Amino acid sequence: MDPVLVAAGTAIVGAMATDVWQQARAAVVGLWRRAGSAEAEAVQDELARVRVQVLAARADEDDDAERALAGAWRLRLRDLVHREPASADDLRRVLEEELLPALGAPERERARAVLMNATASGHGRVYQSAGDQHVNES
């Protein structure tokens, strides 16, 4: 699955437990509206229902439930991008400008951990790591 979809699904569910949830919800619903989807109102209602589930999962320290809810949003986002490919750029913008800033540092890092991009040209090399990395070249 596209790393942006994974990060966005994780960020949506993480944002549900924040004080700025209303702004994050508006950003997610706006994504569907700008894509011209008739599902925008249904998405808004579903976000409200899922938020109750996320808050309950947090209260119960049920990480599995929270991961499952994030997975469901990843699938929903994948379907949107599949139907409206132009929404992929908008999704990345919403993730970077609206969702990630709404999260606390640990959740932001969990969502960002999957967003690694690199480009090399010519004989250049790219090394990426989500943790420690030691490169010894001779």
mmCIF file of all heavy atoms in Angstrom, residues 8 11-29 43-52 54-55 73 98-99 102-103:
data_model
loop_
_atom_site.group_PDB
_atom_site.id
_atom_site.type_symbol
_atom_site.label_atom_id
_atom_site.label_comp_id
_atom_site.label_asym_id
_atom_site.label_seq_id
_atom_site.Cartn_x
_atom_site.Cartn_y
_atom_site.Cartn_z
ATOM 1 N N ALA A 8 -1.580 8.551 6.277
ATOM 2 C CA ALA A 8 -2.816 9.323 6.427
ATOM 3 C C ALA A 8 -3.842 8.575 7.267
ATOM 4 O O ALA A 8 -4.495 9.169 8.130
ATOM 5 C CB ALA A 8 -3.393 9.675 5.060
ATOM 6 N N ALA A 11 -2.677 8.855 10.777
ATOM 7 C CA ALA A 11 -2.824 10.231 11.263
ATOM 8 C C ALA A 11 -4.282 10.594 11.522
ATOM 9 O O ALA A 11 -4.585 11.286 12.496
ATOM 10 C CB ALA A 11 -2.202 11.207 10.272
ATOM 11 N N ILE A 12 -5.195 10.136 10.677
ATOM 12 C CA ILE A 12 -6.620 10.425 10.891
ATOM 13 C C ILE A 12 -7.063 9.865 12.233
ATOM 14 O O ILE A 12 -7.676 10.554 13.049
ATOM 15 C CB ILE A 12 -7.486 9.864 9.745
ATOM 16 C CG1 ILE A 12 -7.275 10.678 8.475
ATOM 17 C CG2 ILE A 12 -8.963 9.848 10.139
ATOM 18 C CD1 ILE A 12 -7.883 10.052 7.229
ATOM 19 N N VAL A 13 -6.742 8.600 12.472
ATOM 20 C CA VAL A 13 -7.166 7.966 13.719
ATOM 21 C C VAL A 13 -6.456 8.615 14.912
ATOM 22 O O VAL A 13 -7.069 8.863 15.950
ATOM 23 C CB VAL A 13 -6.929 6.440 13.664
ATOM 24 C CG1 VAL A 13 -7.102 5.798 15.019
ATOM 25 C CG2 VAL A 13 -7.901 5.825 12.655
ATOM 26 N N GLY A 14 -5.174 8.944 14.756
ATOM 27 C CA GLY A 14 -4.465 9.615 15.840
ATOM 28 C C GLY A 14 -5.043 10.980 16.151
ATOM 29 O O GLY A 14 -5.172 11.364 17.313
ATOM 30 N N ALA A 15 -5.442 11.709 15.113
ATOM 31 C CA ALA A 15 -6.000 13.051 15.312
ATOM 32 C C ALA A 15 -7.352 13.016 16.006
ATOM 33 O O ALA A 15 -7.755 13.995 16.633
ATOM 34 C CB ALA A 15 -6.114 13.774 13.969
ATOM 35 N N MET A 16 -8.049 11.892 15.912
ATOM 36 C CA MET A 16 -9.365 11.785 16.546
ATOM 37 C C MET A 16 -9.303 11.972 18.062
ATOM 38 O O MET A 16 -10.295 12.347 18.678
ATOM 39 C CB MET A 16 -9.996 10.433 16.219
ATOM 40 C CG MET A 16 -10.441 10.316 14.795
ATOM 41 S SD MET A 16 -11.132 8.683 14.474
ATOM 42 C CE MET A 16 -11.675 8.897 12.793
ATOM 43 N N ALA A 17 -8.147 11.721 18.646
ATOM 44 C CA ALA A 17 -8.008 11.815 20.094
ATOM 45 C C ALA A 17 -7.373 13.138 20.527
ATOM 46 O O ALA A 17 -6.949 13.267 21.668
ATOM 47 C CB ALA A 17 -7.193 10.636 20.606
ATOM 48 N N THR A 18 -7.322 14.113 19.638
ATOM 49 C CA THR A 18 -6.685 15.392 19.967
ATOM 50 C C THR A 18 -7.716 16.489 20.198
ATOM 51 O O THR A 18 -8.894 16.352 19.850
ATOM 52 C CB THR A 18 -5.744 15.847 18.827
ATOM 53 O OG1 THR A 18 -6.534 16.200 17.686
ATOM 54 C CG2 THR A 18 -4.733 14.773 18.470
ATOM 55 N N ASP A 19 -7.227 17.599 20.745
ATOM 56 C CA ASP A 19 -8.081 18.763 20.983
ATOM 57 C C ASP A 19 -8.451 19.487 19.693
ATOM 58 O O ASP A 19 -9.408 20.254 19.673
ATOM 59 C CB ASP A 19 -7.379 19.760 21.910
ATOM 60 C CG ASP A 19 -7.224 19.210 23.319
ATOM 61 O OD1 ASP A 19 -7.993 18.319 23.706
ATOM 62 O OD2 ASP A 19 -6.318 19.690 24.028
ATOM 63 N N VAL A 20 -7.697 19.271 18.640
ATOM 64 C CA VAL A 20 -7.968 19.949 17.367
ATOM 65 C C VAL A 20 -8.674 19.014 16.386
ATOM 66 O O VAL A 20 -8.561 19.178 15.172
ATOM 67 C CB VAL A 20 -6.671 20.539 16.752
ATOM 68 C CG1 VAL A 20 -6.128 21.656 17.623
ATOM 69 C CG2 VAL A 20 -5.637 19.463 16.532
ATOM 70 N N TRP A 21 -9.403 18.044 16.920
ATOM 71 C CA TRP A 21 -10.066 17.078 16.070
ATOM 72 C C TRP A 21 -11.025 17.735 15.089
ATOM 73 O O TRP A 21 -11.124 17.320 13.934
ATOM 74 C CB TRP A 21 -10.804 16.028 16.903
ATOM 75 C CG TRP A 21 -11.730 15.231 16.058
ATOM 76 C CD1 TRP A 21 -13.068 15.089 16.210
ATOM 77 C CD2 TRP A 21 -11.388 14.491 14.869
ATOM 78 N NE1 TRP A 21 -13.577 14.314 15.201
ATOM 79 C CE2 TRP A 21 -12.565 13.941 14.357
ATOM 80 C CE3 TRP A 21 -10.210 14.271 14.183
ATOM 81 C CZ2 TRP A 21 -12.598 13.162 13.209
ATOM 82 C CZ3 TRP A 21 -10.226 13.497 13.035
ATOM 83 C CH2 TRP A 21 -11.412 12.951 12.567
ATOM 84 N N GLN A 22 -11.744 18.768 15.492
ATOM 85 C CA GLN A 22 -12.720 19.407 14.590
ATOM 86 C C GLN A 22 -12.035 19.919 13.320
ATOM 87 O O GLN A 22 -12.569 19.765 12.221
ATOM 88 C CB GLN A 22 -13.439 20.556 15.306
ATOM 89 C CG GLN A 22 -14.243 20.127 16.512
ATOM 90 C CD GLN A 22 -15.338 19.127 16.186
ATOM 91 O OE1 GLN A 22 -15.945 19.173 15.116
ATOM 92 N NE2 GLN A 22 -15.592 18.208 17.098
ATOM 93 N N GLN A 23 -10.855 20.500 13.470
ATOM 94 C CA GLN A 23 -10.112 20.996 12.298
ATOM 95 C C GLN A 23 -9.635 19.841 11.429
ATOM 96 O O GLN A 23 -9.703 19.915 10.202
ATOM 97 C CB GLN A 23 -8.926 21.835 12.752
ATOM 98 C CG GLN A 23 -9.347 23.099 13.458
ATOM 99 C CD GLN A 23 -8.202 23.711 14.253
ATOM 100 O OE1 GLN A 23 -7.298 23.026 14.711
ATOM 101 N NE2 GLN A 23 -8.270 25.017 14.434
ATOM 102 N N ALA A 24 -9.150 18.790 12.060
ATOM 103 C CA ALA A 24 -8.689 17.622 11.298
ATOM 104 C C ALA A 24 -9.858 16.978 10.559
ATOM 105 O O ALA A 24 -9.723 16.585 9.393
ATOM 106 C CB ALA A 24 -8.005 16.623 12.232
ATOM 107 N N ARG A 25 -10.996 16.876 11.229
ATOM 108 C CA ARG A 25 -12.178 16.292 10.581
ATOM 109 C C ARG A 25 -12.592 17.126 9.371
ATOM 110 O O ARG A 25 -12.892 16.586 8.305
ATOM 111 C CB ARG A 25 -13.338 16.191 11.579
ATOM 112 C CG ARG A 25 -14.575 15.551 10.935
ATOM 113 C CD ARG A 25 -15.705 15.458 11.894
ATOM 114 N NE ARG A 25 -16.184 16.806 12.188
ATOM 115 C CZ ARG A 25 -17.188 17.068 12.994
ATOM 116 N NH1 ARG A 25 -17.819 16.101 13.620
ATOM 117 N NH2 ARG A 25 -17.569 18.304 13.197
ATOM 118 N N ALA A 26 -12.591 18.441 9.525
ATOM 119 C CA ALA A 26 -12.956 19.316 8.399
ATOM 120 C C ALA A 26 -11.991 19.105 7.228
ATOM 121 O O ALA A 26 -12.405 19.103 6.070
ATOM 122 C CB ALA A 26 -12.953 20.771 8.850
ATOM 123 N N ALA A 27 -10.710 18.908 7.518
ATOM 124 C CA ALA A 27 -9.725 18.682 6.459
ATOM 125 C C ALA A 27 -9.998 17.370 5.729
ATOM 126 O O ALA A 27 -9.911 17.306 4.499
ATOM 127 C CB ALA A 27 -8.315 18.675 7.049
ATOM 128 N N VAL A 28 -10.351 16.326 6.471
ATOM 129 C CA VAL A 28 -10.613 15.020 5.855
ATOM 130 C C VAL A 28 -11.895 15.072 5.029
ATOM 131 O O VAL A 28 -11.929 14.601 3.890
ATOM 132 C CB VAL A 28 -10.690 13.919 6.932
ATOM 133 C CG1 VAL A 28 -11.123 12.591 6.327
ATOM 134 C CG2 VAL A 28 -9.341 13.770 7.630
ATOM 135 N N VAL A 29 -12.935 15.674 5.557
ATOM 136 C CA VAL A 29 -14.193 15.789 4.810
ATOM 137 C C VAL A 29 -13.966 16.654 3.569
ATOM 138 O O VAL A 29 -14.467 16.343 2.486
ATOM 139 C CB VAL A 29 -15.314 16.356 5.700
ATOM 140 C CG1 VAL A 29 -16.558 16.675 4.885
ATOM 141 C CG2 VAL A 29 -15.640 15.369 6.822
ATOM 142 N N VAL A 43 -18.868 10.354 5.064
ATOM 143 C CA VAL A 43 -17.530 10.336 5.664
ATOM 144 C C VAL A 43 -17.548 11.130 6.964
ATOM 145 O O VAL A 43 -16.994 10.704 7.983
ATOM 146 C CB VAL A 43 -16.476 10.875 4.677
ATOM 147 C CG1 VAL A 43 -15.165 11.202 5.366
ATOM 148 C CG2 VAL A 43 -16.255 9.877 3.556
ATOM 149 N N GLN A 44 -18.194 12.280 6.953
ATOM 150 C CA GLN A 44 -18.280 13.106 8.161
ATOM 151 C C GLN A 44 -18.971 12.337 9.290
ATOM 152 O O GLN A 44 -18.496 12.336 10.427
ATOM 153 C CB GLN A 44 -19.026 14.406 7.860
ATOM 154 C CG GLN A 44 -19.054 15.344 9.043
ATOM 155 C CD GLN A 44 -19.502 16.732 8.643
ATOM 156 O OE1 GLN A 44 -19.371 17.137 7.499
ATOM 157 N NE2 GLN A 44 -20.007 17.468 9.597
ATOM 158 N N ASP A 45 -20.068 11.662 8.971
ATOM 159 C CA ASP A 45 -20.783 10.876 9.982
ATOM 160 C C ASP A 45 -19.940 9.708 10.479
ATOM 161 O O ASP A 45 -19.906 9.410 11.670
ATOM 162 C CB ASP A 45 -22.109 10.360 9.412
ATOM 163 C CG ASP A 45 -23.096 11.478 9.125
ATOM 164 O OD1 ASP A 45 -22.924 12.600 9.650
ATOM 165 O OD2 ASP A 45 -24.042 11.229 8.347
ATOM 166 N N GLU A 46 -19.253 9.047 9.566
ATOM 167 C CA GLU A 46 -18.420 7.906 9.954
ATOM 168 C C GLU A 46 -17.256 8.355 10.834
ATOM 169 O O GLU A 46 -16.893 7.670 11.796
ATOM 170 C CB GLU A 46 -17.894 7.172 8.724
ATOM 171 C CG GLU A 46 -17.135 5.916 9.105
ATOM 172 C CD GLU A 46 -16.689 5.093 7.917
ATOM 173 O OE1 GLU A 46 -17.209 5.285 6.804
ATOM 174 O OE2 GLU A 46 -15.807 4.250 8.117
ATOM 175 N N LEU A 47 -16.665 9.492 10.528
ATOM 176 C CA LEU A 47 -15.583 10.011 11.364
ATOM 177 C C LEU A 47 -16.055 10.224 12.800
ATOM 178 O O LEU A 47 -15.336 9.904 13.746
ATOM 179 C CB LEU A 47 -15.037 11.319 10.779
ATOM 180 C CG LEU A 47 -14.179 11.185 9.531
ATOM 181 C CD1 LEU A 47 -13.997 12.543 8.866
ATOM 182 C CD2 LEU A 47 -12.834 10.556 9.852
ATOM 183 N N ALA A 48 -17.262 10.735 12.960
ATOM 184 C CA ALA A 48 -17.803 10.941 14.312
ATOM 185 C C ALA A 48 -17.988 9.605 15.035
ATOM 186 O O ALA A 48 -17.663 9.484 16.226
ATOM 187 C CB ALA A 48 -19.121 11.700 14.235
ATOM 188 N N ARG A 49 -18.489 8.600 14.333
ATOM 189 C CA ARG A 49 -18.681 7.275 14.954
ATOM 190 C C ARG A 49 -17.345 6.634 15.319
ATOM 191 O O ARG A 49 -17.183 6.079 16.404
ATOM 192 C CB ARG A 49 -19.454 6.355 14.018
ATOM 193 C CG ARG A 49 -20.940 6.656 13.941
ATOM 194 C CD ARG A 49 -21.700 5.558 13.210
ATOM 195 N NE ARG A 49 -21.238 5.341 11.856
ATOM 196 C CZ ARG A 49 -21.638 6.037 10.790
ATOM 197 N NH1 ARG A 49 -22.510 7.004 10.937
ATOM 198 N NH2 ARG A 49 -21.171 5.761 9.586
ATOM 199 N N VAL A 50 -16.396 6.727 14.412
ATOM 200 C CA VAL A 50 -15.092 6.103 14.647
ATOM 201 C C VAL A 50 -14.354 6.818 15.774
ATOM 202 O O VAL A 50 -13.649 6.187 16.560
ATOM 203 C CB VAL A 50 -14.263 6.057 13.350
ATOM 204 C CG1 VAL A 50 -12.844 5.608 13.612
ATOM 205 C CG2 VAL A 50 -14.926 5.131 12.343
ATOM 206 N N ARG A 51 -14.540 8.117 15.904
ATOM 207 C CA ARG A 51 -13.887 8.853 16.999
ATOM 208 C C ARG A 51 -14.301 8.286 18.347
ATOM 209 O O ARG A 51 -13.458 8.123 19.240
ATOM 210 C CB ARG A 51 -14.200 10.333 16.927
ATOM 211 C CG ARG A 51 -13.486 11.108 18.027
ATOM 212 C CD ARG A 51 -13.646 12.611 17.861
ATOM 213 N NE ARG A 51 -12.740 13.291 18.760
ATOM 214 C CZ ARG A 51 -13.121 13.859 19.900
ATOM 215 N NH1 ARG A 51 -14.395 13.833 20.277
ATOM 216 N NH2 ARG A 51 -12.230 14.467 20.671
ATOM 217 N N VAL A 52 -15.560 7.962 18.500
ATOM 218 C CA VAL A 52 -16.030 7.357 19.756
ATOM 219 C C VAL A 52 -15.295 6.037 20.003
ATOM 220 O O VAL A 52 -14.858 5.748 21.125
ATOM 221 C CB VAL A 52 -17.565 7.148 19.722
ATOM 222 C CG1 VAL A 52 -18.047 6.333 20.906
ATOM 223 C CG2 VAL A 52 -18.275 8.496 19.660
ATOM 224 N N VAL A 54 -12.304 5.202 18.813
ATOM 225 C CA VAL A 54 -10.895 5.495 19.094
ATOM 226 C C VAL A 54 -10.727 5.919 20.549
ATOM 227 O O VAL A 54 -9.821 5.454 21.242
ATOM 228 C CB VAL A 54 -10.341 6.577 18.139
ATOM 229 C CG1 VAL A 54 -8.984 7.082 18.605
ATOM 230 C CG2 VAL A 54 -10.253 6.029 16.729
ATOM 231 N N LEU A 55 -11.593 6.792 21.012
ATOM 232 C CA LEU A 55 -11.493 7.242 22.403
ATOM 233 C C LEU A 55 -11.694 6.079 23.377
ATOM 234 O O LEU A 55 -10.997 5.985 24.394
ATOM 235 C CB LEU A 55 -12.495 8.363 22.670
ATOM 236 C CG LEU A 55 -12.218 9.664 21.895
ATOM 237 C CD1 LEU A 55 -13.341 10.666 22.126
ATOM 238 C CD2 LEU A 55 -10.868 10.259 22.260
ATOM 239 N N TRP A 73 -9.439 3.137 7.634
ATOM 240 C CA TRP A 73 -9.330 4.439 6.972
ATOM 241 C C TRP A 73 -8.334 4.404 5.832
ATOM 242 O O TRP A 73 -8.503 5.083 4.826
ATOM 243 C CB TRP A 73 -9.021 5.549 7.985
ATOM 244 C CG TRP A 73 -10.307 5.968 8.605
ATOM 245 C CD1 TRP A 73 -10.803 5.585 9.814
ATOM 246 C CD2 TRP A 73 -11.310 6.759 7.982
ATOM 247 N NE1 TRP A 73 -12.060 6.116 9.981
ATOM 248 C CE2 TRP A 73 -12.399 6.841 8.885
ATOM 249 C CE3 TRP A 73 -11.399 7.411 6.767
ATOM 250 C CZ2 TRP A 73 -13.556 7.557 8.576
ATOM 251 C CZ3 TRP A 73 -12.557 8.124 6.468
ATOM 252 C CH2 TRP A 73 -13.612 8.187 7.368
ATOM 253 N N GLU A 98 -2.252 19.514 7.620
ATOM 254 C CA GLU A 98 -3.387 19.549 8.546
ATOM 255 C C GLU A 98 -3.357 18.426 9.579
ATOM 256 O O GLU A 98 -3.543 18.673 10.753
ATOM 257 C CB GLU A 98 -4.696 19.478 7.753
ATOM 258 C CG GLU A 98 -4.708 20.416 6.570
ATOM 259 C CD GLU A 98 -5.781 21.444 6.623
ATOM 260 O OE1 GLU A 98 -6.425 21.593 7.664
ATOM 261 O OE2 GLU A 98 -5.970 22.103 5.600
ATOM 262 N N LEU A 99 -3.136 17.198 9.127
ATOM 263 C CA LEU A 99 -3.218 16.063 10.046
ATOM 264 C C LEU A 99 -1.981 15.928 10.926
ATOM 265 O O LEU A 99 -2.099 15.826 12.151
ATOM 266 C CB LEU A 99 -3.480 14.765 9.278
ATOM 267 C CG LEU A 99 -4.810 14.694 8.546
ATOM 268 C CD1 LEU A 99 -4.890 13.422 7.717
ATOM 269 C CD2 LEU A 99 -5.972 14.788 9.524
ATOM 270 N N ALA A 102 -1.576 18.251 13.816
ATOM 271 C CA ALA A 102 -2.558 18.060 14.885
ATOM 272 C C ALA A 102 -2.122 17.009 15.901
ATOM 273 O O ALA A 102 -2.663 16.939 16.992
ATOM 274 C CB ALA A 102 -3.914 17.657 14.282
ATOM 275 N N LEU A 103 -1.141 16.207 15.538
ATOM 276 C CA LEU A 103 -0.730 15.105 16.387
ATOM 277 C C LEU A 103 0.359 15.508 17.371
ATOM 278 O O LEU A 103 1.142 16.408 17.097
ATOM 279 C CB LEU A 103 -0.203 13.953 15.515
ATOM 280 C CG LEU A 103 -1.167 13.377 14.492
ATOM 281 C CD1 LEU A 103 -0.467 12.318 13.660
ATOM 282 C CD2 LEU A 103 -2.397 12.807 15.169
#
